[in-house]
Amino acid sequence: MKKTVLSVAALALLLGYAAVSQTPALPKKHHVVFQVSEPDGDAWGSLVLHVNNTMKSLAEDGGSQVEVVFYGLGLNMLAKTNTAYEEPLKQLSDRGVKLVACRNAMKMRNVKTEDLFPFAGQVDSGIAEMVRRQEAGWAYIH
């Protein structure tokens, strides 16, 4: 009886191992958080290019989850008044990039939700969001 139980257990382990080894491994998904805290200039002009290039390159490695955190003077990039950035940022949002504004910066600059592009989200604190993402293992790009 003991031999039969051991044989059945060994067979179950062998079949379980075979089933697991035939299951394809899920591709690694990369997590990247970009910071925008500078005023209009080179950082704003290159952001969309850098995010698109990053997503394209990481697509071959299983894709990526990307978030852009806007705070300080960078918050203005999400303002509806910056029409030059609306379409490129909307395209990023449509591709799944999370674009978030810092509520602390909004409060300091008297910016209301309705002043931002409708596809922009919000976080309590831009810096705290960066800390959370880095602690969760996200790659940080400034």
Side-chain angles (χ1 to χ4, degrees), residues 4-125:
T4 304
V5 170
L6 286 175
S7 295
V8 169
L11 182 60
L13 284 173
L14 182 61
L15 290 174
Y17 176 76
V20 168
S21 65
Q22 291 178 4
T23 304
L26 294 175
K28 181 179 179 185
K29 190 159 192 165
H30 300 278
H31 298 87
V32 184
V33 61
F34 286 81
Q35 168 189 329
V36 178
S37 57
E38 296 81 20
D40 190 1
D42 291 341
W44 287 21
S46 62
L47 173 70
V48 174
L49 175 69
H50 291 311
V51 171
N52 279 323
N53 286 344
T54 299
M55 291 176 68
K56 181 180 177 184
S57 294
L58 295 178
E60 297 171 10
D61 295 339
S64 59
Q65 183 177 355
V66 177
E67 179 174 341
V68 183
V69 179
F70 298 84
Y71 64 92
L73 295 174
L75 174 67
N76 295 331
M77 189 173 184
L78 288 178
K80 286 180 180 176
T81 56
N82 285 318
T83 56
Y85 295 103
E86 182 175 14
E87 188 55 33
L89 290 175
K90 182 170 185 339
Q91 289 175 2
L92 288 180
S93 177
D94 290 346
R95 291 184 60 207
V97 175
K98 188 175 176 185
L99 306 170
V100 296
C102 169
R103 282 193 208 110
N104 287 337
M106 290 173 66
K107 184 176 180 181
M108 286 178 58
R109 300 187 185 307
N110 198 28
V111 174
K112 308 283 187 257
T113 299
E114 55 271 10
D115 297 331
L116 302 177
F117 296 128
F119 49 82
Q122 296 177 20
V123 293
D124 59 337
S125 165

